[in-house]
Amino acid sequence: MKYLSILFIIILFSLGSCKKSENHLKVETMGSIIIDSKKAETLIQISYTYSDEKENILKKFNEDILEKYNVTQEIYNLSLDYYINNPKEMEELINYLKHKNTEANVD
C-alpha cells in the first residue's frame, strides 16, 4: 500500500510535465524527495482537518522540500517524466524506495 501511495505521488507530480529529461535527478535525490514528500503528506493528513488548508500546507511543504535539495519544480517534473518513461530507471527508483523503507522499519 505504501508503494501505491508513492507511485500515486509520482504520477500526480508528473501530470504537468511533457518534456523528455536529459538532465534528470539521480535516483538517490529523487527518492529522498519522494520520501520527504510522503512524510510531509502523512504529517499533514493527521494534523489538519480542512482539505483546503491541507492542500495549501502540502504545497508549501513540497516547495520547502525541493528547496532543501536545491531542485526547481521544473527539474523535478522533468525528472518524474524521465523515470515514468524509462521503466528500467523507474524500477531502480522503486528499489531505492523499498530499500529506504526497509531501513526505516529496521530502525
Side-chain angles (χ1 to χ4, degrees):
M1 189 68 180
K2 289 179 185 180
Y3 301 113
L4 289 176
S5 298
I6 292 169
L7 186 57
F8 180 70
I9 290 171
I10 291 171
I11 291 169
L12 279 179
F13 278 108
S14 69
L15 291 176
S17 174
C18 297
K19 300 177 185 176
K20 176 81 172 151
S21 175
E22 296 295 325
N23 299 316
H24 60 279
L25 297 171
K26 292 181 180 180
V27 167
E28 295 79 11
T29 304
M30 191 71 184
S32 295
I33 292 170
I34 291 169
I35 290 167
D36 286 356
S37 293
K38 187 59 183 170
K39 286 178 183 177
E41 180 185 345
T42 301
L43 177 65
I44 290 165
Q45 289 296 329
I46 61 174
S47 300
Y48 296 92
T49 54
Y50 300 108
S51 61
D52 286 344
E53 185 179 38
K54 287 179 185 179
E55 223 174 276
N56 292 332
I57 294 169
L58 182 58
K59 182 179 178 182
K60 177 63 176 141
F61 267 88
N62 284 327
E63 289 170 358
D64 291 345
I65 290 165
L66 291 179
E67 187 177 314
K68 171 183 171 182
Y69 292 96
N70 199 26
V71 172
T72 64
Q73 185 68 52
E74 181 181 8
I75 294 297
Y76 183 73
N77 288 343
L78 290 171
S79 296
L80 281 171
D81 189 51
Y82 171 81
Y83 284 103
I84 287 170
N85 290 302
N86 293 280
K88 187 174 181 178
E89 286 78 9
M90 176 62 91
E91 185 176 344
E92 188 178 337
L93 176 59
I94 290 169
N95 287 337
Y96 176 84
L97 293 170
K98 286 179 182 178
H99 175 73
K100 287 297 185 181
N101 186 53
T102 302
E103 281 182 359
N105 289 334
V106 171
D107 295 340

